[in-house]
Amino acid sequence: MRILVPVKRVLDYNVKPRVKADGTGIDLANVKMSMNPFDEIAVEEAVRLKEKGVATEVVVVSIGEAKAQETLRTALAMGADRAILIVNADKVEPLGVAKLLTKVAEAEAPGLILLGKQAIDDDNGQTGQMLAALLGWGQGTFASRIDVTADGVDVVREVDGGLETVHLTLPAIVTADLRLNEPRYASLPNIMKAKSKPLEQKTPADYGVDVTPRLALIRVDEPARRQAGIKVADVGELVEKLKALGAVA
């Protein structure tokens, strides 16, 4: 079985985002970029399934600028077999990503598509669900455990009331949650090997997909700064302060 894992290049989660002075977006100049953490978890799970003998090949795919090659090489160093980069300088919305991944899935014929539940830059959390709808495949979202069986895959997913287990027939879509696994660090030998692994470059036009944005970003503003708190000596003073602020009658 072949596993397809989409990955995204995003601002590193350890870096505090800075809004551009003109409010047109987040300043990405001279800042560290890395693989979306949820996608990294998906890559790790795919590699683990391959190590168990469940999968025969792990293919990673990314959509973005040419620099996304670095992100794909990281996935290859983790254990993926080959990579596909769909080069597009402009931002691609979730529906456009899902349409491109649909074409990639039709060409690669994977038995399972594993992807992160959301990207930490825009937090849309839509691509996996849209992809499942376009392909007509079953989906298991927010997975905290994946067990491939003889007739499909069992996905333990996190819901408001606890854990829910769903059974999907293959091919299927699964989106990875934080507690699915802990990604490995790529060793130096694997990093060197990743440089020689196949990395194919495509464009949206090669797949016949129009990725023209349907939404326009008007402005980005930083959240309002939190005001300093006030220390009180006792409960009585606290009540008086709250009354003064109109918080209590």
Side-chain angles (χ1 to χ4, degrees):
M1 178 178 70
R2 177 178 294 137
I3 299 179
L4 182 67
V5 187
V7 299
K8 186 177 183 181
R9 181 176 182 264
V10 299
L11 182 70
D12 189 87
Y13 69 93
N14 288 312
V15 177
K16 183 180 179 181
R18 299 192 309 270
V19 177
K20 293 180 180 178
D22 58 3
T24 57
I26 302 298
D27 187 3
L28 300 178
N30 302 316
V31 296
K32 182 181 179 183
M33 306 292 285
S34 61
M35 188 189 307
N36 178 48
F38 292 104
D39 296 342
E40 191 175 10
I41 292 170
V43 173
E44 173 65 26
E45 191 66 19
V47 173
R48 290 187 185 189
L49 290 174
K50 182 188 173 186
E51 291 172 346
K52 291 178 182 177
V54 174
T56 56
E57 185 182 35
V58 176
V59 181
V60 289
V61 57
S62 187
I63 302 165
E65 55 184 321
K67 292 181 180 179
Q69 290 186 50
E70 301 169 6
T71 304
L72 290 172
R73 292 295 180 193
T74 299
L76 293 172
M78 291 175 66
D81 298 292
R82 56 187 176 90
I84 302 171
L85 174 59
I86 303 175
V87 182
N88 191 74
D90 299 325
K91 183 177 179 180
V92 183
E93 295 173 353
L95 181 58
V97 174
K99 288 181 177 179
L100 284 170
L101 293 178
T102 298
K103 296 297 184 181
V104 175
E106 290 173 353
E108 297 291 336
L112 182 66
I113 299 180
L114 263 172
L115 62 164
K117 71 171 185 177
Q118 66 191 77
I120 63 171
D121 55 355
D122 51 27
D123 279 331
N124 284 319
Q126 299 171 342
T127 302
Q129 293 87 330
M130 289 179 172
L131 180 59
L134 291 173
L135 288 171
W137 294 3
Q139 60 175 310
T141 55
F142 315 125
S144 60
R145 180 176 174 180
I146 298 173
D147 294 312
V148 178
T149 63
D151 60 343
V153 57
D154 291 333
V155 177
V156 179
R157 57 189 303 270
E158 299 184 356
V159 295
D160 291 339
L163 299 176
E164 176 184 76
T165 302
V166 296
H167 179 77
L168 310 173
T169 56
L170 298 176
I173 310 285
V174 177
T175 66
D177 208 340
L178 186 65
R179 281 160 287 280
L180 180 59
N181 60 52
E182 184 175 344
R184 71 192 67 189
Y185 289 101
S187 64
L188 181 58
N190 286 337
I191 293 174
M192 300 304 294
K193 290 178 183 177
K195 294 180 179 180
S196 60
K197 288 184 177 180
L199 196 160
E200 184 180 8
Q201 291 197 26
K202 295 278 192 177
T203 65
D206 293 331
Y207 293 102
V209 176
D210 180 12
V211 293
T212 303
R214 290 171 168 78
L215 301 175
L217 180 63
I218 304 300
R219 184 173 177 83
V220 177
D221 292 301
E222 290 189 10
R225 294 196 175 188
R226 186 175 180 179
Q227 295 182 352
I230 301 174
K231 288 185 178 181
V232 296
D234 51 36
V235 175
E237 186 181 353
L238 172 62
V239 172
E240 291 301 320
K241 290 285 186 182
L242 292 175
K243 285 182 179 180
L245 294 171
V248 295

